[in-house]
């Protein structure tokens, strides 16, 4: 494979991959790992750089001045850094957005800021939540507003290997969870509230929406159905994608560290799968070693892929699409690249982007 920037495309070596092409739209970025849009009809795209900056891509041009610069607050890199960005559903009125970063002490911080045009007001910062991280890896990082207006937060199991704290299965810690909080209210001395319909689990932290996660690096909500797609990075053997329907009331146990994907992990044989939610998609480490979750495609530029779920792998650079066939999700590879796929992105029209951690953002297009 060769990569040519400017007006050129990423040319792919597989005959089976000719239906998709990646068109570069921004380059010379510093460790980009997420892209999203603000719900304000400006057409701006916001690119998160791991070191602590957010850049704006507007009318095809990358603005020189960052939208946000919190490099003085952020511990980077590896699996630490500025890891997530979510705009409030009411951003047009309140100009609020939220970030997930690793602070100088190595802990996860969820904070809000207020925008002022193409710049964020640094003085408006409010820390909502700080979560201690015992190790340097498995920080999670994804944050997103669901169709219910609540903020969802992906938290890894705290790191090391094999979940030595058993955080994924414990309900007294926020590690190894997806959290759900209400940022529109404050209560109990917190800068947020616990949604009244969060699941009730014995001994739990009230912020917990679901558990049994190893490192849910990227998740997304289907903009048409509200269903949630969560990709969880594997340990030694299996990468996995989970599906949570919009009708879910939360409280699901997605298996880690009892399970790694669809296989027993601890114990390695004859594990008790009762009550565990199995993944809808998996692949083994002969295909990739670090899954990057994407989006169910709802745009118009790639009609052959409408309704398909896109996901990829950071290490192998492969991209797959999954479609529902006979009541089961079936996957096929559509691209094989040499990119370090740190994230996918979605714009206001539902078109998709691929972020190469080495410094380039691509728009996906149908060949």
């Amino acid at each position: 494979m060769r990569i040519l920037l400017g007006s050129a495309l990423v040319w792919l070596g597989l005959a089976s991959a000719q239906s998709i092409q990646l068109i570069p739209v921004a380059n010379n970025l510093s460790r980009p790992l997420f892209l999203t849009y603000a719900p304000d009809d400006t057409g701006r795209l916001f690119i998160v750089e791991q070191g602590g900056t957010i850049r704006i891509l507007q009318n095809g041009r990358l603005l020189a001045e960052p939208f946000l610069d919190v490099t003085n607050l952020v511990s980077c890199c590896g699996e630490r850094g500025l890891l997530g960005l979510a705009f409030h559903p009411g951003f047009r009125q309140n100009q609020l957005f939220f970030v997930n970063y690793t602070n100088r002490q190595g802990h996860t911080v969820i904070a809000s800021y207020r925008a002022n045009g193409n710049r964020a007001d640094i003085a408006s910062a409010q820390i909502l939540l700080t979560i201690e991280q015992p190790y340097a890896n498995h920080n999670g990082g994804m944050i997103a507003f669901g169709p219910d207006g609540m903020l969802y937060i992906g938290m890894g199991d705290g790191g090391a290997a094999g979940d030595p704290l058993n955080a994924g299965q414990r309900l007294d810690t926020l590690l190894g969870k997806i959290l759900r909080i209400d940022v529109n209210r404050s209560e109990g001395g917190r800068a947020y509230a616990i949604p009244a319909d969060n699941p009730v689990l014995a001994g739990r932290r009230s912020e917990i929406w679901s558990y049994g996660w190893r490192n849910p690096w990227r998740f997304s909500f289907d903009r048409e159905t509200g269903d949630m797609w969560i990709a969880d990075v594997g340990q030694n053997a299996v990468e996995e994608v989970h599906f949570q329907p919009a009708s879910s009331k939360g409280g699901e146990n997605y298996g880690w560290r009892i399970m790694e994907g669809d296989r027993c992990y601890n114990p390695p044989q004859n594990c008790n799968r009762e009550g565990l939610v199995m993944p809808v998609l998996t692949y083994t480490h002969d295909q990739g070693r670090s899954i990057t979750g994407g989006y169910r495609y709802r745009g118009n530029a790639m009609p052959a892929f409408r309704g398909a779920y896109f996901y990829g792998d950071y290490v192998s650079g492969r991209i797959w699409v999954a479609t529902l066939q006979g009541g089961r999700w079936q996957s096929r590879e559509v691209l094989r690249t040499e990119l370090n796929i740190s994230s996918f992105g979605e714009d206001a029209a539902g078109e998709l982007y691929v972020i190469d951690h080495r410094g380039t953002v691509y728009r996906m297009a149908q060949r």
Side-chain angles (χ1 to χ4, degrees), residues 54-135:
I54 298 174
R55 307 288 300 280
I56 295 177
L57 184 66
Q58 188 169 26
N59 299 323
R61 184 173 66 93
L62 189 67
L63 303 189
E65 290 295 320
F67 173 65
L68 177 72
D69 186 344
V70 289
T71 52
N72 62 316
L73 304 178
V74 170
S75 175
C76 184
C77 288
E79 296 184 23
R80 295 173 166 178
L82 179 59
L83 305 178
L85 166 66
F87 288 89
H88 194 284
F91 178 78
R92 189 196 302 269
Q93 293 77 35
N94 61 29
Q95 296 295 293
L96 285 175
F97 67 95
F98 298 78
V99 292
N100 180 332
Y101 66 86
T102 314
N103 68 14
R104 292 288 183 171
Q105 291 71 47
H107 306 317
T108 291
V109 172
I110 308 298
S112 67
Y113 288 85
R114 198 174 298 275
N116 183 10
N118 282 340
R119 297 297 299 272
D121 178 6
I122 293 295
S124 69
Q126 181 180 33
I127 293 177
L128 279 71
L129 187 58
T130 301
I131 303 171
E132 184 175 349
Q133 292 283 357
Y135 302 100

Side-chain angles (χ1 to χ4, degrees), residues 177-194:
K177 311 296 186 297
I178 289 179
L179 314 178
R180 178 177 182 256
I181 63 173
D182 183 352
V183 301
N184 298 309
R185 299 185 297 116
S186 59
E187 66 179 9
R190 297 180 296 249
Y192 61 91
I194 304 298

Side-chain angles (χ1 to χ4, degrees), residues 23-29 32 34-38 40-49 53-68 85 87 118 345-348 352-355 359-363:
I23 303 172
V25 295
N27 55 33
N28 297 319
L29 294 156
F34 190 59
L35 175 149
T36 190
Y37 65 95
D40 62 358
D41 296 331
T42 62
R44 295 177 297 175
L45 295 176
F46 295 79
I47 302 167
V48 177
E49 296 180 312
T53 50
I54 298 174
R55 307 288 300 280
I56 295 177
L57 184 66
Q58 188 169 26
N59 299 323
R61 184 173 66 93
L62 189 67
L63 303 189
E65 290 295 320
F67 173 65
L68 177 72
L85 166 66
F87 288 89
N118 282 340
E346 188 181 42
D347 66 19
L352 297 185
Y353 298 77
V354 177
I355 295 89
T360 303
V361 172
Y362 300 89
R363 178 172 56 82

Side-chain angles (χ1 to χ4, degrees), residues 211-325:
Y211 64 107
W213 298 108
R214 183 176 180 271
N215 196 34
W217 168 240
R218 289 291 177 244
F219 60 79
S220 63
F221 292 94
D222 184 333
R223 61 168 58 198
E224 287 193 5
T225 67
D227 299 327
M228 191 177 189
W229 291 82
I230 312 105
D232 199 13
V233 179
Q235 177 69 48
N236 300 318
V238 185
E239 307 295 310
E240 60 193 277
V241 176
H242 286 272
F243 171 83
Q244 186 181 76
S247 59
S248 169
K249 302 300 182 184
E252 292 92 342
N253 182 351
Y254 288 94
W256 177 253
R257 65 181 183 176
I258 301 168
M259 306 284 298
E260 179 189 5
D262 53 0
R263 303 181 184 183
C264 292
Y265 180 81
N266 188 357
Q269 292 92 27
N270 301 316
C271 58
N272 182 5
R273 306 185 183 203
E274 184 178 356
L276 305 182
V277 179
M278 293 295 102
V280 294
L281 299 165
T282 62
Y283 63 88
T284 55
H285 282 193
D286 59 343
Q287 296 180 284
R289 293 180 175 270
S290 183
I291 192 169
T292 300
Y295 295 82
R296 196 166 181 195
Y297 179 64
R298 298 300 189 182
N300 295 312
M302 301 189 295
F305 294 94
R306 183 162 177 79
Y309 174 72
F310 280 85
Y311 63 105
D313 190 89
Y314 179 87
V315 176
S316 71
R318 295 180 177 185
I319 297 175
W320 297 269
V321 295
T323 54
L324 193 60
Q325 300 175 27

